[in-house]
Amino acid sequence: MSSVRPFAPRILWAFVLIGGVLVALGDFIFATTLWFSWDAEGLRRVFQTIAVGVLGQASYDGGTQSAVLGAVLHVLMATAFVAIYTLVARRFPSLLARPVVLGVLYGVVLYVVMNFVVMPLSRVGRSPSFAHPDWIAYAVLAHMLFGVICVLFARRALRRD
């Protein structure tokens, strides 16, 4: 008997990138609205805060350069979220069947991994505080939406025409 693997669909990487940019944009809008201001300093600060993961607290002294680094890292991470789901779903196509349910679950996974694994291992060095449960609830809800976006763009990236 031959052990032929089923055809794995080609990945349309443009949709992975578009999905990543949309997730990054949504997260940027969410974070800026909740924790930062919409003036030039607030916009710079949101991206410097992301760069803290690599540069540590020196990110806040890095001006526009550290903000640009933070923006690039933000888009790369968001695109990685879509790419990871796409690659796993390519192997397990059933992960594409129910985008809302699976996207919500994936969003919760993203929140947990980012806040309880990535942040503590980065130069941020801490997990979110439980002092503001309302902020955590908002962030989990936002990540649920981002998870749905990830699944929808993974579906599009793996569409067989």
Side-chain angles (χ1 to χ4, degrees), residues 85-133:
Y85 199 92
T86 302
L87 291 169
V88 173
R90 185 179 191 211
R91 176 79 170 93
F92 302 100
S94 62
L95 291 174
L96 301 171
R98 299 173 62 194
V100 174
V101 172
L102 294 171
V104 164
L105 293 174
Y106 186 56
V108 172
V109 169
L110 290 176
Y111 176 82
V112 169
V113 169
M114 287 303 298
N115 288 279
F116 295 98
V117 178
V118 174
M119 282 178 56
L121 293 175
S122 75
R123 300 218 33 212
V124 172
R126 60 179 159 70
S127 294
S129 164
F130 290 101
H132 298 281

Side-chain angles (χ1 to χ4, degrees), residues 34-160:
L34 197 58
W35 294 298
F36 297 91
S37 62
W38 281 93
D39 59 11
E41 181 57 31
L43 299 178
R44 181 176 24 253
R45 194 87 164 159
V46 70
F47 289 122
Q48 286 175 327
T49 301
I50 295 165
V52 167
V54 174
L55 301 175
Q57 294 301 309
S59 174
Y60 296 115
D61 299 325
T64 301
Q65 287 179 325
S66 62
V68 169
L69 174 63
V72 169
L73 291 171
H74 191 59
V75 171
L76 288 174
M77 285 186 291
T79 303
F81 298 159
V82 181
I84 289 166
Y85 199 92
T86 302
L87 291 169
V88 173
R90 185 179 191 211
R91 176 79 170 93
F92 302 100
S94 62
L95 291 174
L96 301 171
R98 299 173 62 194
V100 174
V101 172
L102 294 171
V104 164
L105 293 174
Y106 186 56
V108 172
V109 169
L110 290 176
Y111 176 82
V112 169
V113 169
M114 287 303 298
N115 288 279
F116 295 98
V117 178
V118 174
M119 282 178 56
L121 293 175
S122 75
R123 300 218 33 212
V124 172
R126 60 179 159 70
S127 294
S129 164
F130 290 101
H132 298 281
D134 53 333
W135 290 359
I136 292 172
Y138 296 145
V140 171
L141 288 171
H143 279 76
M144 289 174 172
L145 173 62
F146 304 148
V148 172
I149 294 168
C150 289
V151 176
L152 290 173
F153 277 87
R155 282 174 60 134
R156 185 63 182 111
L158 293 170
R159 177 175 278 164
R160 298 179 208 202

